[in-house]
């Protein structure tokens, strides 16, 4: 099986020669787009409301890479141009509640997505492609049994024990039938070798990931965690993570949350391990370090270990920038609340309050990933519009750990840059512990003397306006 995978990958790279096309217009298009993949999304009337939409409806990963990129096309239609320095990319399109369609596109492709009742249909414009190169995923996705979460969302209940047993059989049959179908299509010449190889590997690792609670990770041969050629597959990357959790016995930090693995222990285990190929090791260390940085538990020593391993200097640079790794000492400080302005200047909350003495100050603690926070921001901005002329100062303090996500959210939500600050040393500061600021959104009011007079102000505009009016009269 292993040698078969390696052989297929060799074939995959070698056959990337587009079929000829007599159409002069298409030939011209190929010349223009020869170093890109152009994705044209036609109008899609079905708005997706999925549990899995946190990053984007569409993701893709170029070959010889492990960094997935996400985006969501406009429902009215969209064109996305992807610059390519790799021969191909693997793209995943989320549709319906949790169904996914996977595609392999080559450098120079112009691809059109059309929709019928929310289901994507694909046409590659610049070359002849086999029917199941573009239709395989959609054809077989509908046969996949609903996962546990999707079943609950649709049926408003968890599966009974009897239903669980039935589900296991249906799922095993689905994986088995997928392999048989792929093999049959390849023999008939209805799917290309490179697409076959990608889908078959994706099916294999997706199956392992769904069986992870009972899967024998100890029994895997060493080469299984050294397939650099499969890192472009999300299922393989997730398999590598699961391998670490189960092979090295990484514990959960929260018994209720099945994804709360001890990322520090996972990072250290991979760093010390000789199991992985250099590139797979690089991916895992980057993944676990990023999770550590998001929660503020990464250290200077961890980053030094990462720098030793990761060859991609641009990635190191972006991690350093996005997670403010140069500010590690400030992040650990507990004596005061340290904030970073939009132009990257550090100021303490005490300084900020002193600068605004004589004003009633409204403080909004929020984050880009907090749905209730984002939902309430329009009301907050209306409140600002109403009371700013009366001398009320509005401050938006984000506890985001990622600089880029914070800045993007400021733009998206049309917040005033001059009133926005990043809480650099959250949750290290004693202030947060004293205020028991463990959840957001959280609103606070400060009087004209600079004193906190309400550390858990009302969430709704009408009630908040009454509070502000009260302190304006003082």
């Amino acid at each position: 099986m292993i040698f078969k995978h390696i052989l297929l990958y060799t074939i995959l790279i070698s056959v990337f020669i587009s079929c000829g096309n007599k159409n002069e217009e298409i030939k011209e298009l190929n010349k223009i787009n020869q170093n890109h993949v152009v994705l044209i999304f036609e109008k899609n009337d079905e708005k997706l409301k999925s549990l899995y939409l946190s990053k984007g409806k569409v993701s893709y990963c170029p070959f010889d890479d492990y960094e997935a990129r996400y985006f969501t096309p406009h429902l009215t239609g969209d064109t996305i141009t992807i610059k390519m320095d790799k021969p191909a990319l693997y793209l995943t399109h989320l549709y319906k509640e949790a169904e996914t369609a996977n595609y392999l596109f080559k450098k120079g492709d112009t691809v059109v997505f059309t929709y019928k009742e929310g289901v994507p249909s694909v046409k590659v414009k610049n070359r002849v492609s086999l029917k199941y190169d573009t239709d395989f995923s959609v054809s077989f996705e509908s046969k996949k049994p609903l996962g546990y979460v999707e079943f609950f969302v649709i049926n408003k209940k968890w599966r009974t024990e009897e239903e669980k047993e039935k589900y296991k059989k249906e799922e095993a049959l689905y994986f088995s039938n997928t392999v048989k179908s792929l093999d049959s299509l390849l023999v008939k010449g209805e799917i290309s070798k490179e697409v076959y190889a990608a889908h078959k590997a994706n099916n294999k690792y997706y199956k392992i990931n769904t069986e992870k609670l009972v899967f024998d990770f100890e029994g895997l041969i060493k080469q299984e965690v050294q397939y650099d050629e499969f890192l472009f597959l999300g299922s393989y990357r997730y398999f590598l993570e699961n391998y670490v959790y189960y092979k090295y016995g990484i514990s959960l930090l929260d018994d209720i949350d099945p994804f709360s693995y001890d990322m520090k222990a996972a990072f250290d285990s991979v760093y010390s391990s000789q199991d992985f190929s250099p590139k797979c090791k690089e991916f895992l260390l980057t993944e676990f370090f990023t999770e550590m940085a998001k929660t503020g538990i990464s250290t200077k020593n961890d980053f030094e270990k990462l720098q030793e391993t990761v060859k991609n200097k641009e990635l190191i640079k972006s991690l350093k920038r996005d997670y403010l790794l140069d500010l590690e000492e400030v992040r650990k400080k507990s004596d005061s609340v340290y904030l970073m302005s939009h132009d990257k200047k550090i100021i303490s909350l005490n300084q900020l309050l002193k600068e605004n003495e004589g004003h009633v100050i409204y403080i909004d603690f929020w984050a880009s990933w907090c749905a209730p926070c984002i939902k309430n921001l329009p009301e907050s901005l209306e409140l600002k519009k109403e009371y700013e002329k009366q001398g009320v100062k509005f401050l938006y303090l984000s506890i985001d750990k990622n600089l880029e996500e914070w800045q993007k959210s400021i733009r998206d939500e049309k917040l005033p840059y001059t009133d926005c600050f990043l809480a650099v040393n959250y949750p290290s500061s004693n202030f947060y512990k004293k205020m028991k600021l463990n959840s957001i959104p959280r609103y606070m009011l400060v009087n004209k003397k600079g004193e906190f007079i309400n550390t858990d102000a009302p969430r709704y505009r009408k009630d908040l306006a009454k509070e502000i009016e009260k302190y304006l009269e003082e």
Side-chain angles (χ1 to χ4, degrees):
M1 181 65 75
I2 297 160
F3 294 108
K4 190 174 182 182
H5 281 160
I6 294 170
L7 175 62
L8 286 171
Y9 179 70
T10 305
I11 293 169
L12 185 156
I13 294 299
S14 67
V15 299
F16 274 23
I17 303 170
S18 295
C19 298
N21 196 313
K22 302 290 184 184
N23 189 310
E24 292 302 320
E25 187 179 334
I26 294 297
K27 281 185 178 179
E28 194 59 35
L29 188 63
N30 284 348
K31 287 178 187 176
I32 295 168
N33 296 330
Q34 61 184 341
N35 293 317
H36 298 80
V37 168
V38 179
L39 306 172
I40 301 168
F41 297 89
E42 300 291 357
K43 186 178 179 182
N44 182 5
D45 291 330
E46 187 162 283
K47 188 172 182 180
L48 189 65
K49 294 179 181 178
S50 174
L51 296 167
Y52 303 93
L53 201 58
S54 58
K55 292 183 178 179
K57 186 187 291 187
V58 178
S59 67
Y60 69 92
C61 191
F63 276 29
D64 296 331
D65 201 350
Y66 54 74
E67 191 178 356
R69 288 80 161 168
Y70 295 83
F71 63 89
T72 296
H74 300 300
L75 290 174
T76 54
D78 210 345
T79 298
I80 306 294
T81 301
I82 301 169
K83 189 173 181 181
M84 296 286 291
D85 57 2
K86 307 291 183 185
L89 59 80
Y90 197 66
L91 182 142
T92 298
H93 191 325
L94 179 69
Y95 67 98
K96 298 294 184 182
E97 281 297 326
E99 294 178 16
T100 53
N102 298 304
Y103 308 96
L104 189 152
F105 298 130
K106 304 174 186 180
K107 181 160 66 171
D109 279 352
T110 296
V111 183
V112 180
F113 288 80
T114 54
Y115 298 88
K116 185 176 181 180
E117 296 179 351
V119 179
S121 180
V122 165
K123 176 69 176 174
V124 180
K125 300 287 286 183
N126 57 290
R127 60 183 170 88
V128 176
S129 59
L130 299 175
K131 174 176 168 43
Y132 287 101
D133 282 358
T134 54
D135 287 353
F136 180 80
S137 288
V138 170
S139 301
F140 282 83
E141 184 71 16
S142 60
K143 300 173 186 177
K144 189 195 306 184
L146 289 172
Y148 285 105
V149 177
E150 297 94 322
F151 181 90
F152 178 81
V153 170
I154 292 170
N155 297 285
K156 306 293 186 267
K157 72 178 186 72
W158 295 109
R159 280 187 171 98
T160 63
E161 290 304 315
E162 186 179 339
E163 287 170 331
K164 284 179 185 176
E165 288 305 311
K166 184 184 175 186
Y167 167 67
K168 285 178 185 175
K169 290 176 184 176
E170 289 174 345
E171 189 178 52
L173 187 62
Y174 167 78
F175 288 127
S176 174
N177 285 342
T178 299
V179 172
K180 288 176 184 176
S181 298
L182 282 167
D183 289 345
S184 174
L185 292 172
L186 184 66
V187 170
K188 293 176 185 175
E190 294 179 343
I191 192 168
S192 60
K193 292 181 178 70
E194 63 268 29
V195 176
Y196 166 87
H199 284 336
K200 194 161 185 179
N202 189 55
N203 184 69
K204 173 185 175 180
Y205 293 109
Y206 189 90
K207 182 177 186 292
I208 292 174
N209 293 332
T210 61
E211 296 173 350
K212 61 187 177 183
L213 294 176
V214 295
F215 188 79
D216 179 21
F217 286 93
E218 287 283 350
L220 285 171
I221 57 173
K222 187 177 180 181
Q223 287 88 341
E224 205 69 63
V225 292
Q226 298 185 351
Y227 290 145
D228 294 354
E229 62 266 32
F230 289 146
L231 277 168
F232 68 90
L233 294 171
S235 58
Y236 184 68
R237 297 194 298 273
Y238 188 38
F239 155 75
L240 289 175
E241 292 177 53
N242 283 324
Y243 178 90
V244 174
Y245 300 146
Y246 291 93
K247 175 73 183 291
Y248 300 115
I250 306 301
S251 59
L252 291 170
L253 299 176
D254 184 344
D255 292 336
I256 299 173
D257 183 355
F259 301 103
S260 64
Y261 290 102
D262 184 340
M263 294 299 168
K264 172 69 174 166
F267 181 90
D268 290 339
S269 295
V270 174
Y271 181 76
S272 304
S273 175
Q274 300 300 314
D275 286 356
F276 308 96
S277 68
K279 195 156 188 176
C280 288
K281 187 170 188 172
E282 181 177 311
F283 157 69
L284 286 166
L285 288 179
T286 302
E287 186 69 18
F288 294 138
F289 180 85
T290 302
E291 291 303 315
M292 290 159 62
K294 283 179 183 176
T295 53
I297 64 170
S298 60
T299 66
K300 186 177 180 181
N301 187 44
D302 296 326
F303 189 57
E304 287 171 356
K305 288 178 179 178
L306 188 71
Q307 285 178 296
E308 283 175 28
T309 310
V310 176
K311 307 302 178 191
N312 186 338
K313 300 307 174 190
E314 283 304 310
L315 178 60
I316 288 291
K317 198 173 173 181
S318 66
L319 283 170
K320 196 171 185 178
R321 178 193 67 237
D322 291 346
Y323 293 101
L324 308 175
L325 299 179
D326 287 334
L327 298 175
E328 185 183 354
E329 294 307 313
V330 179
R331 287 192 291 138
K332 290 178 179 176
K333 287 188 175 184
S334 59
D335 60 318
S336 184
V337 171
Y338 291 98
L339 307 168
M340 189 175 77
S341 63
H342 69 97
D343 53 359
K344 298 185 180 178
K345 292 178 181 174
I346 301 296
I347 186 172
S348 72
L349 180 59
N350 288 337
Q351 286 175 272
L352 206 53
L353 297 182
K354 194 168 183 179
E355 286 178 9
N356 288 285
E357 264 188 32
H359 298 272
V360 172
I361 303 171
Y362 161 96
I363 301 176
D364 181 341
F365 284 98
W366 69 292
S368 64
W369 44 261
C370 169
C373 301
I374 300 298
K375 186 179 178 182
N376 285 0
L377 281 174
E379 283 203 2
S380 175
L381 290 171
E382 283 296 318
L383 204 65
K384 174 181 169 64
K385 190 176 177 182
E386 188 176 344
Y387 284 99
E388 200 171 30
K389 292 176 183 177
Q390 297 182 50
V392 178
K393 180 68 178 176
F394 286 75
L395 300 176
Y396 300 90
L397 310 186
S398 168
I399 65 169
D400 271 295
K401 295 297 179 187
N402 186 299
L403 178 67
E404 188 178 343
E405 288 175 7
W406 170 59
Q407 291 176 329
K408 180 180 182 302
S409 201
I410 290 173
R411 293 192 298 272
D412 291 347
E413 304 308 321
K414 298 180 173 54
L415 293 173
Y417 277 98
T418 52
D419 297 334
C420 292
F421 297 85
L422 194 63
V424 178
N425 65 331
Y426 178 87
S428 301
S429 173
N430 291 329
F431 171 86
Y432 298 121
K433 295 178 177 69
K434 182 181 175 183
M435 297 296 178
K436 296 181 180 177
L437 206 156
N438 302 316
S439 63
I440 52 174
R442 179 81 171 271
Y443 309 101
M444 298 184 185
L445 289 172
V446 178
N447 66 16
K448 294 176 183 178
K449 298 176 185 177
E451 302 166 335
F452 281 87
I453 30 119
N454 192 333
T455 58
D456 195 3
R459 178 176 295 194
Y460 299 105
R461 179 182 168 188
K462 193 179 288 186
D463 299 326
L464 199 49
K466 286 179 185 176
E467 284 283 298
I468 291 173
E469 291 279 2
K470 184 166 64 177
Y471 298 117
L472 276 174
E473 291 171 5
E474 290 184 351

